[in-house]
Structures are given as structure tokens and as C-alpha cells.
Amino acid sequence: MMSPDAELIDILDSSADGTDASPSRVAAKPIPEILPILGLADLVIFPGMVAPLLVETAPSIRLIDDVVAGDRFLGLVLQRRPEVENPLPEDLWPNGCVGRVLKMLKFPDNTVRVLVDGLRRIRVRRYESQSPYLRAQVEVLKDELEDSIEFAALARNAQRQFEEIVNLSPALSEQIKIAAINTEDPARLSDLIAANLNLNLEERQHLLELNEVKERLARLQPLMSREIEVLRLGSKIQKEVADSMSKNQRDFFLREQMRAIQRELGEADFNTAEIKNLREQIEENHLPDEAKKVALRELERMQQIPPSVAEYTVSRNYLDWVINLPWNKSTEDKLDLTQAARILDEQHFGLTKVKDRLLEFIAVIKLKRKLKGPLLCLVGPPGVGKTSLGQSIADALGRKFARISLGGMRDEAEIRGHRRTYVGALPGRIIQCLRRVESNNPVILLDELDKVGADFRGDPASALLEVLDPQQNNTFTDHYLDLPFDLSRVLFVTTANWLDPIHPALRDRLEVIELPSYTAAEKLQIAKHFLVPRQIEEHGLKNKLLKLPDNTLRRVIQDFTREAGVRQLEREIASLTRKAARRIAKNGQGPSKPLVITPALLPEFLGPPAYVSETAEAITECGIAIGLAWTPVGGDILFIEATRMPGKGNLLLTGSLGEVMKESAKTALSYLRSQAKILGIDLGNYDNQDIHIHVPAGATPKDGPSAGLTITVALASLFFQRHVRSDVAMTGEITLRGRILPVGGIKEKVRAAARTGIKHVLLPEQNRKDWTEVPVEVRDRIKVDFVNQISQALPLALKRTPSPNQAKAKLNSVRRGRNLVRCE
């Protein structure tokens, strides 16, 4: 296996410069038809090319000995696989170059170095022998030239491009440049370019296989263009680096000269003036002792650093942060309870719990000035005013306000900051907010606390434990500052849609205030007093030009929105005002009387209703009960259907039910079967029938234990063949002992019952305390019964017992295989 060796060139004569390898030297002796073949691992020899080779294997060394002892001709062929030490015919390319050994040197390590001269292209016809080395019959290929203007242009362009490559490339010698200028033969020129161009082995081999000089020159054109672009770009980069280094050195010397001149004139340089200014700021801002000590130490260190060094800027930025933080700057609180209540009522409707808690906080501050701020967590569905309430709290207290969005935050450094060892390090978002508002007692709203993530960069929720702990945040230490900062005077308000995703330890530190969804009456008042005036003003209208009656707003709330908050309602009102503005603009300055949008005009302005409210319907079949459900956008009613059919005693559950709801259905069926004798249920034919429970709206996932009571009543209606009362809805978790356990979302569920026409609800006894949270206007419209046991709920939910003749007739119809039993 052979490889090029540059060390041999130093001990050879001038014939190795690649300029005098002409065919005239071998014209006196013809090239034999059978040549020994030497495989080359990583080198392609072109005609006219002189190259040193290192021969290491025994067969190859014997080949060289025989060639030197004979006519000195051999075939030089590239190997397909460089790692093969003794290549076979199939390991070699079919085309190569015949060469002549110019010199040979043997070394003590049993290696031979030879200098070969490429003469002609050859093609191997067939191999005659493989031992002791390869010998093959070869065909000498002649270069194909043509006499045309295009061919001459190609040759001239190739010569020009190669001269440019030689000028740009420091690796090519002056001898090659001379050879390129003095070579007039296009064939020799193409081989000279191919031998010295930066190409891979396959590209070189393809060029060697081309006999037509025109095609060879055409293929070299793009390769040389690419090489020129690479060399130009490399020269540009080197020049820019050199210019940058020269500029830095020049700036350094000029700066030193300027300092020397200023010292001679008795003037202070810019660096000295900046140090003096920073020292004055440290004294004027009355920093705490520890912060002042650190700042002065950093200032002394900064004096020793030249301004041109990057570390100088790092120290300068650090001092800027330490000096400009509001260590002792605070905003005076407004302690007027009446004014605070008025501001809260002006900006938000309802939200009594939040307003009362804030007024209590103001009252305590009025009595005791130094009080740690509470950690409020406003939990509720989207659009109920959690985020905007933070600004209202700040306005009521007269404090500065800052908002930090935690949604999608995954890096702990967002809270604690980066250490100064990192390039571009900054303090965390908490410290940045304090510097921006220039106060150490602002209201900071941490929005979307339940959407904090965690990954390999840390857990921001764990970092918030120190921020939101009143016992620790008086010494909050940011990684960038590495100084304790007192956050105990900051009033933190957090918001979330759910409590479950919040870290348990973090949730334990929060004072949770739930913001329920708005009722239709509350939405109407919010629309009248807040949304409609704002949209009229934003769309350039006046109250005298557009009127939206209460009936219109009620229809918009009922038919065009389905949400817990009022965001979609505001978008629909904005759509109404836009279309009204367009109609008013068509009439010039405005109509003589205001445009009144009545409910009848809503389809024209907003299109068909987007939602059709599900209302309680008359139950005319056994096995159907109405339940109450909680959703993120409020409450809703839920129809649960049960039927039976011939089968093997299986229970079928459909309607996109979750695991908990499926378990509730199994519990309900097990209870009724276990209490069949006590309740008077005939289960004699149960093993030959299947029970099927279905909850409509199958595309909507449903889960939770609160449907247990409703499923039990539906199954009891099926077994007893008694209708469930159409005006009764219920909710509650059940147990195998027949107990009814408390559930959540009572306020939203009862509101949904009132909205859909339900007159009577059954609630768990332990939810009696939640009944007071239901609005008075809803409580006045609905009768409620609190139950502890299923046995108490069944008489309230089911209609009277059918007559014996009716029951017998229905039982016979079931036995005949009817799937759905209708009863009187």
C-alpha cells in the first residue's frame, strides 16, 4: 500500500518540480503492452505529474526492484478500498496512468521510497498474473483534441482561473504558477490543474478517465470556480481577523497616549470620572451595609481592570444593578378604605371575596404599619378577571404594579437569575421588576402559576418557594446579585385556572380565593356597565348613536357565548359595535335617532346562534335521570340513560366515560343488586339480560364521581319501571353502603339547573354549607333537598309506584325482548 511522502523531494534533483515531465523523455523507449500494476491507496497520478511514493509491502517492494532492474515502466492504478494492503484486480479501478520510476531509495526499516513520473493514461484490458505481483495487459489512451473556438475559450478560461487559484492559495508553489503560465498544450494544462486542485479521490479518478480534453476542461470549470470562492472567503476572513487585531492594538496605544497626556495636563480620564460617579451613587443611595460593602469592593476591583477588557463591562453592569435597586425606596400606601372600595367597585363587578380580603389587608396596615403582604392566589376559569384584578389591587393601595407571566416557564434562572460567570448573565424576573417599578413594595402579579413547567434547567416552582414564603423572602438571594433582598413588603398575587398542577409545597403557602364563573345576571351587569361603554368608545361611537337593550344582551349571553368569563361576550359586543359603526357611517354624520339593536336583529348582525342551550325535557321513559355537571366554563345538566336487553348479565358503558365515572356506574349497580330484597327489586332474570348505561354527547369526555347518584336513580327507574321526575336534577358521590358523599362545584351546578328550567335539586347533606354560596336569585327559584342515603333520594326522585296490572304488563314486555320500556 502506497502513500505520498514529501520528505523525498528534498533529496531529489530539479526534475521533481512537476515542470519537465514531458513525453519527449520516454519517446525513445516504447511503453510495453504488459505492465506490472502498483495499487495506490490515496493518490491519483496524472500524466506529467512527478510524485514520491512510500512502498511498504513485500510484493510491492519486489515489484519496484524488478521495475528498476528492467525498463522502469509500471502501471499506477487507484484502489477502490484504501485499507487493502495487497489489492486484487477487483479492488482496483479500470483506468490508471503509466509511470516511470525516476529514483529509488531503500531505508533500514525495510521500506522503499520511489519517485515516479506520470506518462500516459492507460486502461487495463485484463490481468495476466497475480503472483508475485499484479501484471496486466494495458491499452495506452491518447488525448482527444479538437480545433474549435469553444475549445480554445475553455482552455484560456481554465488557464486564467488556475492562475487566480495559484495567486490566492499559499499552499501552491511558484514553480506551479510558472508551469501554468508556460503550458500551451490544453491536455497538459488540464492534467496540471487536476493534479494540483483540491479535489477528493473520486473526482480525480473521474478526471483521469476522461480522454476528451474538452470534456475534461468543462468538468474542471465548476470545480475551479468553487475553489476560487472558498479561497476568496478564506482570504477575507484572515484579513478581517488581522484588521481587528490591528485595530485593538491601535486603540490600546491611543488610549495609553491619551491617559499620559491627561496626566500631564492634570485632567482626569473618562475611566476615573466614571469610577468617581459610581462611588458618589453608592453613597447617595444609602445601600444596606452588606450591599454597600460588596459594591465598594467591586468598585475597587473595577479600577484595576482596563476598560477595553470584557471583564470591565461585567463589573460595570453588576454595579449598575446593585446601585439602582430600590433598597430603601417604597411607595406610600393609600389607607382610605372608602376610596379603595370605590376603586375596586368601579373596575370590577362582583368578586366580593377578593374585595373583602383586600380591604381587610388595608385595615390591618392602617393599624400596624409594618405588615408582611399576604400571598393571594386567585383561582378560577378563564375570563373572570383574575389578571386585571391585580392592577385594581395596586390602584386601590396606591402601589406600583408589575406582572410576570409564568406560563411555559421552565428555567429556574428566570426566577433566581444567572450567575455572573455566564456570558450575558442577568438577574431574575423578580429583581428586574423591582428595578423597573423603582419600589420595594409593589404589587407583583404572578400570572398562570399552574402552567409552570420543569426540565433539565431546573424547576421554577421550587424557586418560587423562597419567593412566596413570608418566613424566607425577607432574605431572597438572586444568583446574579448574590446579595439578600427583602421581598416581605411586596404584595404577591398569583392566578391559576387549576390548583391541582401547582406544587403541593407551593400551594400550602398560598391563600386561595376561588373566583367562580359569572351568572347570566352578573354578565348582564358587567356588559352594561363595563363592556358596552368600552367598546362604544373604542369604535368611535357615542351612547346616543347606539343602544343595546337588556333583552339584546341577554340573547347574546345565552345564544352566542358559552363561557365562565366575559371574553367571548366582549368579542360579540365588539362585533355588534363594528357592524353598527359601518351602518352609521353609511348615513353620513349619524342618524337622527340612535340605532337600537333588538334581539330580532341579532341574526343579521351576528349570524345564527352559536349555542343551543340544553333544557330539561319531559321524561317519558324509564331509565332516564338528569344529573348536574361541572365544566371549566360553568355548570351544565347531564342526561343519563339506562336500558336492558337479552344478554349474559354484562354491564355496558358508553359516552366517553372516564375510569372514575365507570367505577361509579359499577358501584351503583352493585348497590342496587345487594339491596334488591330491601328495595323490592326483582332480579330473577338478571343473568339473562345486559345492562347498558349511556351518557349523551359522546364526543365530550366525562369523568368524576359526582354522577354516582344520578346513575343509581336511572338504574332504579329501570328496575322499578317508574319514571324519574322531569323537574328534578341531582349530584353526589355514592358508596356501596348507600351513603351519598359531598362533591364540588355546587354553585355552578345549581346555576345550570336554574338556567335549564329545573325546579328541584338533590344535593349531599355535607354540601349544605355550599348552598349559601349560591346567588339569592337562584335559591329563590329552586327547591333543594339534602340527602345522606340513596334510600332517601329514591322517593324524592321517582314518581309514584305503578299499579300491579301496569307493572305486570311492562314485565311481560321486557321478557318479550323489548329494548326500551315505556311506562305510564
Side-chain angles (χ1 to χ4, degrees):
M1 185 169 62
M2 276 57 65
S3 61
D5 195 313
E7 296 178 359
L8 188 60
I9 299 178
D10 296 333
I11 63 173
L12 297 177
D13 57 17
S14 60
S15 64
D17 60 4
T19 62
D20 60 345
S22 63
S24 61
R25 292 185 299 157
V26 295
K29 186 177 291 188
I31 298 175
E33 291 186 4
I34 298 178
L35 290 175
I37 303 299
L38 182 63
L40 304 179
D42 52 3
L43 180 65
V44 177
I45 301 295
F46 287 89
M49 175 180 174
V50 177
L53 300 177
L54 175 64
V55 183
E56 297 177 318
T57 62
S60 299
I61 293 174
R62 180 172 178 180
L63 182 151
I64 296 297
D65 289 338
D66 293 347
V67 166
V68 171
D71 54 12
R72 295 201 173 198
F73 290 112
L74 76 166
L76 302 169
V77 182
L78 179 67
Q79 297 178 197
R80 296 181 184 272
R81 293 182 300 167
E83 66 275 8
V84 179
E85 291 188 358
N86 296 307
L88 299 176
E90 59 269 18
D91 297 325
L92 301 176
W93 289 86
N95 287 60
C97 180
V98 59
R100 183 172 182 270
V101 177
L102 299 179
K103 287 191 177 183
M104 178 185 72
L105 289 175
K106 290 188 177 182
F107 289 86
D109 59 353
N110 294 325
T111 61
V112 175
R113 300 191 183 190
V114 295
L115 187 69
V116 296
D117 180 13
L119 303 177
R120 293 283 190 272
R121 284 176 169 78
I122 59 172
R123 179 185 295 116
V124 178
R125 288 183 176 179
R126 66 175 181 273
Y127 285 91
E128 299 291 339
S129 64
Q130 299 183 17
S131 179
Y133 46 79
L134 294 177
R135 293 175 59 84
Q137 182 180 1
V138 300
E139 176 187 0
V140 179
L141 304 176
K142 295 183 179 181
D143 292 328
E144 299 179 6
L145 302 172
E146 66 177 62
D147 186 11
S148 65
I149 298 177
E150 182 182 0
F151 180 73
L154 277 174
R156 187 173 300 175
N157 187 56
Q159 188 173 25
R160 180 187 57 80
Q161 285 185 305
F162 188 61
E163 289 178 5
E164 185 174 358
I165 291 174
V166 173
N167 292 330
L168 291 174
S169 176
L172 298 180
S173 65
E174 188 68 20
Q175 294 175 340
I176 296 177
K177 181 178 180 181
I178 296 172
I181 296 174
N182 297 317
T183 302
E184 297 180 357
D185 183 7
R188 290 189 58 199
L189 177 65
S190 63
D191 289 335
L192 178 65
I193 296 173
N196 291 281
L197 203 60
N198 187 15
L199 303 175
N200 58 46
L201 290 176
E202 288 192 5
E203 289 176 338
R204 291 176 183 269
Q205 179 65 29
H206 291 325
L207 288 170
L208 181 65
E209 293 175 356
L210 295 177
N211 296 336
E212 296 184 8
V213 180
K214 180 180 178 181
E215 185 178 355
R216 200 185 306 160
L217 291 173
R219 179 168 292 191
L220 283 171
Q221 296 290 327
L223 298 177
M224 287 192 291
S225 299
R226 182 187 65 183
E227 184 69 15
I228 290 172
E229 291 296 326
V230 172
L231 292 173
R232 285 177 179 173
L233 183 59
S235 299
K236 180 182 176 183
I237 294 173
Q238 290 180 354
K239 184 176 181 302
E240 289 177 353
V241 171
D243 292 346
S244 175
M245 294 179 63
S246 300
K247 183 179 182 302
N248 291 336
Q249 293 174 355
R250 176 177 172 273
D251 292 346
F252 176 77
F253 288 125
L254 289 176
R255 224 177 260 114
E256 291 299 321
Q257 291 177 2
M258 186 167 26
R259 288 178 182 171
I261 294 172
Q262 288 174 341
R263 282 195 297 269
E264 291 296 328
L265 295 175
E267 298 177 356
D269 61 357
F270 173 77
N271 188 25
T272 305
E274 186 177 29
I275 297 294
K276 181 180 179 182
N277 184 33
L278 291 173
R279 192 180 300 276
E280 291 176 355
Q281 291 184 38
I282 293 173
E283 297 297 335
E284 292 173 358
N285 288 348
H286 303 291
L287 274 62
D289 293 341
E290 185 175 356
K292 184 177 180 180
K293 180 180 178 181
V294 171
L296 291 175
R297 185 171 64 244
E298 188 69 22
L299 187 64
E300 295 296 330
R301 177 172 171 270
M302 181 179 165
Q303 284 183 289
Q304 309 301 323
I305 304 174
S308 58
V309 178
E311 189 65 22
Y312 181 89
T313 305
V314 174
S315 296
R316 178 67 180 84
N317 291 337
Y318 176 76
L319 284 173
D320 188 55
W321 276 100
V322 173
I323 293 172
N324 291 292
L325 278 178
W327 299 95
N328 299 304
K329 296 179 182 178
S330 59
T331 306
E332 185 177 356
D333 291 328
K334 296 179 182 178
L335 303 179
D336 190 340
L337 293 173
T338 305
Q339 183 182 5
R342 179 181 57 80
I343 292 174
L344 293 174
D345 290 336
E346 285 178 353
Q347 298 183 3
H348 285 82
F349 181 83
L351 306 178
T352 306
K353 281 188 176 181
V354 185
K355 294 177 180 177
D356 289 345
R357 181 64 184 88
L358 182 62
L359 293 176
E360 293 168 1
F361 174 67
I362 296 175
V364 175
I365 291 181
K366 193 172 183 178
L367 299 176
K368 182 181 180 181
R369 293 287 180 174
K370 294 184 178 180
L371 179 68
K372 296 181 178 180
L375 304 175
L376 304 180
C377 180
L378 309 180
V379 179
V384 296
K386 301 184 296 296
T387 302
S388 58
L389 194 59
Q391 181 67 61
S392 300
I393 293 174
D395 294 342
L397 285 171
R399 294 188 179 187
K400 302 288 185 66
F401 175 74
R403 173 181 171 271
I404 299 176
S405 178
L406 302 179
M409 183 180 293
R410 295 179 177 274
D411 190 355
E412 178 192 2
E414 294 280 350
I415 303 298
R416 293 185 178 274
H418 294 87
R419 300 190 184 277
R420 282 196 291 159
T421 53
Y422 295 102
V423 177
L426 283 174
R429 301 278 291 278
I430 303 293
I431 297 298
Q432 292 182 35
C433 283
L434 293 175
R435 178 179 175 178
R436 185 169 62 251
V437 300
E438 298 180 347
S439 173
N440 63 3
N441 65 337
V443 175
I444 295 182
L445 178 71
L446 302 177
D447 209 6
E448 308 294 351
L449 182 62
D450 56 331
K451 298 174 181 61
V452 175
D455 60 11
F456 65 93
R457 292 169 293 185
D459 184 3
S462 299
L464 285 171
L465 293 176
E466 180 184 2
V467 175
L468 299 179
D469 191 340
Q471 305 301 324
Q472 302 179 33
N473 62 7
N474 60 338
T475 57
F476 171 72
T477 303
D478 186 274
H479 286 162
Y480 180 82
L481 296 179
D482 202 21
L483 288 170
F485 192 95
D486 187 4
L487 298 179
S488 61
R489 301 190 62 191
V490 178
L491 175 57
F492 287 103
V493 180
T494 64
T495 69
N497 298 123
W498 307 85
L499 279 176
D500 294 342
I502 301 176
H503 194 286
L506 183 58
R507 189 166 62 234
D508 182 62
R509 289 163 166 78
L510 303 175
E511 181 179 344
V512 178
I513 300 177
E514 295 187 0
L515 275 65
S517 59
Y518 291 120
T519 63
E522 290 173 337
K523 291 181 180 179
L524 176 62
Q525 296 301 320
I526 292 172
K528 287 173 59 178
H529 295 97
F530 298 95
L531 305 183
V532 173
R534 182 163 62 206
Q535 292 301 324
I536 288 177
E537 180 182 356
E538 289 182 358
H539 289 81
L541 300 176
K542 298 180 180 179
N543 289 330
K544 64 181 182 179
L545 297 179
L546 177 64
K547 298 294 182 183
L548 294 175
D550 290 358
N551 290 336
T552 302
L553 294 175
R554 288 193 185 94
R555 282 288 302 277
V556 173
I557 294 170
Q558 180 178 353
D559 296 343
F560 294 91
T561 63
R562 182 66 58 88
E563 58 179 343
V566 291
R567 286 177 181 160
Q568 182 63 29
L569 176 60
E570 185 170 13
R571 283 192 286 266
E572 298 297 337
I573 293 174
S575 180
L576 284 176
T577 52
R578 285 196 304 272
K579 290 178 170 57
R582 179 180 177 183
R583 180 170 296 189
I584 292 171
K586 284 185 178 181
N587 299 328
Q589 297 298 323
S592 57
K593 59 180 181 179
L595 174 61
V596 180
I597 301 179
T598 62
L601 294 176
L602 286 179
E604 179 183 350
F605 280 80
L606 299 179
Y611 303 97
V612 177
S613 298
E614 187 173 16
T615 57
E617 59 186 38
I619 296 178
T620 58
E621 301 168 350
C622 297
I624 300 177
I626 303 175
L628 298 175
W630 179 92
T631 68
V633 296
D636 204 352
I637 64 173
L638 205 65
F639 287 91
I640 294 181
E641 303 172 352
T643 187
R644 57 186 175 182
M645 65 207 79
K648 299 180 180 180
N650 297 323
L651 175 63
L652 307 178
L653 302 172
T654 57
S656 296
L657 308 185
E659 289 299 322
V660 177
M661 198 167 181
K662 290 180 180 178
E663 292 175 358
S664 297
K666 296 175 182 178
T667 303
L669 181 59
S670 298
Y671 169 78
L672 292 175
R673 290 180 62 190
S674 65
Q675 301 294 321
K677 291 184 179 180
I678 299 175
L679 298 175
I681 300 175
D682 184 11
L683 296 177
N685 201 29
Y686 176 79
D687 292 337
N688 296 325
Q689 292 182 340
D690 288 343
I691 304 296
H692 187 172
I693 298 175
H694 176 70
V695 183
T700 305
K702 311 167 191 71
D703 204 2
S706 63
L709 177 59
T710 312
I711 296 174
T712 305
V713 171
L715 290 173
S717 170
L718 180 67
F719 291 146
F720 285 123
Q721 293 300 296
R722 292 167 58 183
H723 290 159
V724 178
R725 291 173 51 189
S726 301
D727 61 344
V728 174
M730 62 210 74
T731 183
E733 181 182 355
I734 62 168
T735 68
L736 285 174
R737 294 179 294 165
R739 294 184 58 206
I740 300 177
L741 303 181
V743 293
I746 295 298
K747 181 180 178 181
E748 288 79 6
K749 292 177 179 178
V750 175
R751 284 175 171 175
R755 185 181 67 246
T756 54
I758 298 294
K759 305 298 183 183
H760 188 184
V761 295
L762 304 181
L763 302 178
E765 176 65 35
Q766 296 181 46
N767 284 118
R768 185 184 292 271
K769 63 182 185 304
D770 300 315
W771 181 251
T772 58
E773 301 293 332
V774 180
V776 177
E777 65 270 17
V778 176
R779 283 185 283 171
D780 293 341
R781 294 164 52 190
I782 291 183
K783 176 185 176 183
V784 62
D785 279 309
F786 297 99
V787 291
N788 273 324
Q789 298 287 334
I790 296 176
S791 57
Q792 298 174 357
L794 293 180
L796 297 172
L798 300 177
K799 289 186 176 180
R800 62 180 179 82
T801 306
S803 63
N805 293 333
Q806 292 174 332
K808 184 176 180 181
K810 298 309 172 186
L811 183 59
N812 291 333
S813 66
V814 171
R815 289 172 178 172
R816 287 195 299 270
R818 294 185 181 178
N819 291 342
L820 189 61
V821 181
R822 300 185 63 85
C823 42
E824 303 297 333

